[in-house]
């Protein structure tokens, strides 16, 4: 199991850093456009994870993109 931890520790860290930087860049762009990034991201996450139905719809819609 040690090889798995060594191999994936850097990969997971880079992926999380990429997501955080993307959210930060999006927030800066929204601020420059005069929008509130906190309310925008709250609406985004509510739309994706708000109810089990909405989460299922998100998974249904992204499945073809994952397999492409």
């Amino acid at each position: 199991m040690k090889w798995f931890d060594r191999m994936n520790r850097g990969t997971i860290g880079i992926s999380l850093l990429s997501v955080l930087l993307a959210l930060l860049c999006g927030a800066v762009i929204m601020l420059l456009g005069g929008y509130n990034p906190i309310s925008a991201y709250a609406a985004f996450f509510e739309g994706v994870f708000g109810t089990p139905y909405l989460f299922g719809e998100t998974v249904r819609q992204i499945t073809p993109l994952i397999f492409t």
Side-chain angles (χ1 to χ4, degrees):
M1 200 64 172
K2 288 184 180 182
W3 64 270
F4 182 76
D5 291 336
R6 269 186 288 153
M7 186 173 72
N8 286 327
R9 190 174 308 167
T11 305
I12 292 171
I14 290 172
S15 297
L16 289 175
L17 181 64
S18 298
V19 170
L20 290 174
L21 284 174
L23 290 172
L24 181 65
C25 289
V28 169
I29 291 169
M30 284 186 255
L31 284 172
L32 291 174
Y35 297 99
N36 183 358
I38 295 173
S39 63
Y41 285 136
F44 171 74
F45 286 110
E46 179 70 26
V48 174
F49 302 111
T51 64
Y53 174 78
L54 292 175
F55 182 71
E57 281 296 304
T58 301
V59 171
R60 182 185 64 81
Q61 291 180 2
I62 66 168
T63 299
L65 297 174
I66 292 171
F67 288 127
T68 305

